[in-house]
Amino acid sequence: MSYLLPKLKTKKDVDDAIKQTEDKVLVLRFGRSDDLVCMQLDEILSKTSEDLGKMADIYCIDADSIPVYTQYFDITLIPATLFFFNGQHMKVDYGTPDHTKFIGSFKTKQDFINLVEVICRGAMRGKLMVTSPIDSRNVHQYELLYQDI
Amino acid sequence: MAEKMKRNVSFAKQEEQGDGIGDAGLPETKRIKTFKEKHSLDSDEEDKVDETATYRMNEEEIEGAEDDDDGTAESDDDIKITPFNLKQEMSEGYFDKDGNYHEKKDDDVHDEWLENIDWERLEEENAMKKQAEKGDEADDEDEGDAKVVRPELEVMREMLGFMKEGESVTKAMQRLGGGKRKTGSAAQRKAKKDSDSSSEVTAESKADMLKLTDLVDELVARGQFDMYQYTYEKIQHKLTQDEEAQAAKKDAEFDMFAEDVDKKKLTTNTNKQDESSGTGKDEMDPDKVYWEYKWENKDDADIYGPYQSEQMENWTNQDYFQDGVWVRKVGSGQNFYTSKRIDFSLYV
């Protein structure tokens, strides 16, 4: 389904997307288009992208094509979904160890729509971190392994 | 001993007169005040007789007491004494059987500060405030952001003059104020050397910084608390947004019923929703989010609502939903979410 979503292929594309998205939530999906979970996520993203058109811009990024950003955002698990607002990375408390990105697919479209709405509302109020409304049972749980700790 | 106690009644007298001095001079009727003696440690059976009788004393009983000396000072040797004016006291209250004095409570509570309020002026001010608010609303109807008043945007425009692209207000202030002082003695020494040459520049930029600070202060005072975080781009964006809104408004004024206006109206409406600053007072304002909740995540559980976000937020803050309830937005038809993960203040 990822062919329905715009793709960012180079570092410059990503830079421009982050800088030029104004007053909208920017959703960046890092993943691989042949990954099963990723395809599931892409379907949800592509189906909601029209409804969310006024609130969010959604882009797909191949995690392997832009290693600079993959490393910068510390993408170790895919698919990873990141949120930005006016060039500011939005942190979200999903109930998982990592607040900087959402790992895995959303269970329903509504979950994703609600999450984007909360992020948008929070960002409009100048918050840098919001709490995701998604039930933790519907969030893929994982553990982070820290090197040298 | 008993006579000393009797004098407990007149507060002023008590201290000045030692045991037995001038006791004889007291009028006979003062004995009636023995109810006061209850307070003294030495009260004994003798007093108890009076006690029941003086439950809510009648005025006749004390008629003679202070009739002649209504509040005037009576002299005892060289010491002037202000007698206990029972008459006045009785007019303002009564004594119960325990000898406690109860002031009559006035119907209207007397608060000094309340009397100082100029009610007329207050009303005038309120009326003026209301009018101003109304004016604002009318002004900003199309802008979506009720806070943005015209002069505020002008202030922002002025601020832009002091800022560079990509700078936030804080950064601009830092730059104009000469940047952060480097710590470390080496850096300081170097800075001292440089300061002579740069002093002219800083004097100029300092004035700029003060102006910028004034402008920001003005906006912060009006409730734009995040002003310091605003970047050059964000301010510019706000200004252009305002210009567009103004243009849209003008269009709407020209032909209200044209179709393209409807489109514009739609977009402004969604803007409003995004910024969630609807200010209507009707039931079920479409710009507001309403919630319904149930206590258990079961299909047949009773659903309560709709309630406004403010109400839900209050309940959450008051720990009414301590264990979390299942909530959803009214009209969404979606499934229920646990209230623990929802920040209702975002929807207010």
Side-chain angles (χ1 to χ4, degrees):
Chain A
M1 291 302 273
S2 64
Y3 53 86
L4 289 173
L5 290 166
K7 274 192 183 129
L8 302 176
K9 288 191 178 111
T10 62
K11 180 177 178 295
K12 195 178 174 304
D13 289 346
V14 181
D15 286 343
D16 289 347
I18 292 177
K19 275 191 210 153
Q20 284 162 12
T21 310
E22 265 181 356
D23 290 347
K24 261 186 178 185
V25 179
L26 171 68
V27 184
L28 297 185
R29 185 280 277 156
F30 284 83
R32 270 187 214 106
S33 45
D34 54 352
D35 180 78
L36 269 180
V37 187
C38 211
M39 287 155 103
Q40 219 178 332
L41 174 64
D42 286 350
E43 174 159 341
I44 285 174
L45 297 184
S46 60
K47 281 192 173 165
T48 50
S49 66
E50 199 178 317
D51 291 340
L52 288 172
K54 280 178 184 147
M55 220 193 277
D57 283 342
I58 306 173
Y59 294 101
C60 287
I61 297 169
D62 189 13
D64 303 318
S65 67
I66 311 175
V68 189
Y69 269 121
T70 312
Q71 207 205 341
Y72 180 72
F73 292 125
D74 195 19
I75 311 289
T76 46
L77 299 162
I78 57 160
T81 314
L82 284 82
F83 298 92
F84 295 82
F85 194 88
N86 283 348
Q88 171 76 45
H89 183 193
M90 290 296 294
K91 294 199 179 82
V92 185
D93 177 5
Y94 304 101
T96 61
D98 195 347
H99 291 173
T100 59
K101 51 188 149 312
F102 184 88
I103 304 292
S105 174
F106 297 95
K107 200 162 183 200
T108 62
K109 286 188 287 182
Q110 194 60 51
D111 276 351
F112 177 66
I113 291 172
N114 288 341
L115 176 59
V116 170
E117 189 195 348
V118 166
I119 291 171
C120 186
R121 284 177 184 275
M124 285 290 190
R125 268 145 226 260
K127 296 197 176 193
L128 296 180
M129 170 135 175
V130 294
T131 310
S132 138
I134 304 171
D135 196 334
S136 54
R137 280 175 304 175
N138 295 344
V139 177
H140 176 71
Q141 295 294 329
Y142 57 94
E143 274 182 31
L144 282 184
L145 294 174
Y146 295 98
Q147 218 174 2
D148 304 327
I149 294 181
Chain B
M1 251 342 232
E3 286 204 320
K4 185 193 168 195
M5 269 156 254
K6 263 165 232 155
R7 229 165 299 114
N8 283 349
V9 176
S10 59
F11 306 117
K13 237 182 219 175
Q14 195 202 340
E15 260 125 332
E16 285 148 3
Q17 291 184 331
D19 283 62
I21 303 177
D23 283 354
L26 286 173
E28 184 68 8
T29 36
K30 286 219 166 170
R31 283 180 189 278
I32 272 162
K33 293 170 203 158
T34 41
F35 53 83
K36 270 282 180 188
E37 289 175 275
K38 224 322 160 93
H39 293 300
S40 148
L41 281 171
D42 302 301
S43 61
D44 46 22
E45 318 83 45
E46 193 195 340
D47 307 323
K48 273 182 189 160
V49 184
D50 289 352
E51 213 172 77
T52 43
T54 48
Y55 176 56
R56 259 198 191 255
M57 286 173 66
N58 295 320
E59 216 165 311
E60 301 99 65
E61 283 180 75
I62 46 165
E63 189 96 33
E66 313 284 349
D67 238 4
D68 35 13
D69 49 11
D70 34 29
T72 49
E74 132 188 4
S75 91
D76 180 74
D77 291 343
D78 288 336
I79 306 151
K80 276 203 168 180
I81 300 154
T82 307
F84 174 51
N85 192 339
L86 193 54
K87 202 170 188 182
Q88 193 192 332
E89 295 288 310
M90 290 304 277
S91 72
E92 287 167 0
Y94 64 90
F95 294 95
D96 66 8
K97 67 175 176 195
D98 292 326
N100 295 321
Y101 181 70
H102 294 273
E103 240 176 286
K104 272 184 210 155
K105 271 177 195 138
D106 277 335
D107 288 338
D108 45 344
V109 182
H110 281 298
D111 262 325
E112 292 279 337
W113 66 273
L114 269 175
E115 277 166 18
N116 286 336
I117 294 178
D118 189 346
W119 288 105
E120 263 179 45
R121 223 181 104 198
L122 200 73
E123 255 163 49
E124 258 170 46
E125 269 172 20
N126 273 349
M128 269 178 34
K129 241 186 227 168
K130 256 183 205 163
Q131 222 166 17
E133 260 165 38
K134 256 185 206 164
D136 278 3
E137 265 167 40
D139 254 10
D140 302 335
E141 232 167 38
D142 290 29
E143 291 174 21
D145 192 344
K147 276 181 196 160
V148 181
V149 207
R150 279 229 45 90
E152 209 158 291
L153 286 160
E154 264 154 38
V155 175
M156 282 189 193
R157 200 161 284 150
E158 206 174 320
M159 278 169 62
L160 280 187
F162 297 111
M163 294 165 67
K164 281 183 184 167
E165 270 179 46
E167 256 181 351
S168 71
V169 175
T170 327
K171 282 235 177 82
M173 281 170 153
Q174 256 167 24
R175 175 174 53 84
L176 293 170
K180 267 186 192 163
R181 286 266 165 269
K182 283 178 201 161
T183 46
S185 55
Q188 265 174 3
R189 250 178 282 138
K190 207 184 167 202
K192 240 181 208 172
K193 261 188 214 165
D194 292 347
S195 66
D196 294 333
S197 56
S198 61
S199 56
E200 301 147 35
V201 188
T202 49
E204 200 175 283
S205 66
K206 210 160 226 170
D208 280 353
M209 190 196 67
L210 288 178
K211 261 185 221 158
L212 182 60
T213 319
D214 280 350
L215 293 171
V216 179
D217 269 353
E218 203 179 324
L219 291 177
V220 169
R222 283 188 213 171
Q224 297 268 18
F225 298 113
D226 46 359
M227 211 50 230
Y228 286 97
Q229 276 80 49
Y230 275 31
T231 56
Y232 181 91
E233 283 76 13
K234 182 153 186 191
I235 294 174
Q236 207 165 39
H237 180 68
K238 257 206 161 137
L239 291 176
T240 50
Q241 214 175 25
D242 172 60
E243 272 160 25
E244 276 164 22
Q246 289 293 328
K249 199 178 167 188
K250 254 180 206 165
D251 280 358
E253 273 163 8
F254 276 133
D255 46 0
M256 271 173 140
F257 304 105
E259 266 180 35
D260 58 339
V261 174
D262 269 5
K263 249 186 215 164
K264 264 169 197 159
K265 250 192 183 168
L266 272 181
T267 49
T268 46
N269 262 346
T270 45
N271 274 347
K272 244 187 199 174
Q273 229 163 20
D274 288 350
E275 290 170 36
S276 62
S277 62
T279 46
K281 279 169 200 157
D282 320 9
E283 275 285 336
M284 295 297 270
D285 185 333
D287 285 350
K288 276 190 174 174
V289 180
Y290 290 84
W291 300 86
E292 45 195 13
Y293 71 90
K294 54 186 184 183
W295 291 96
E296 286 173 282
N297 196 16
K298 287 178 190 158
D299 287 342
D300 56 345
D302 290 338
I303 296 174
Y304 301 90
Y307 296 107
Q308 290 195 13
S309 305
E310 287 97 332
Q311 178 74 52
M312 297 296 282
E313 193 193 358
N314 285 340
W315 278 335
T316 316
N317 291 341
Q318 288 158 15
D319 275 351
Y320 182 55
F321 298 146
Q322 210 159 28
D323 301 321
V325 288
W326 298 89
V327 299
R328 74 170 174 198
K329 277 181 242 166
V330 171
S332 62
Q334 42 178 297
N335 42 1
F336 285 79
Y337 287 87
T338 171
S339 66
K340 281 182 190 168
R341 299 201 63 85
I342 292 179
D343 184 0
F344 290 108
S345 63
L346 290 183
Y347 299 89
V348 175

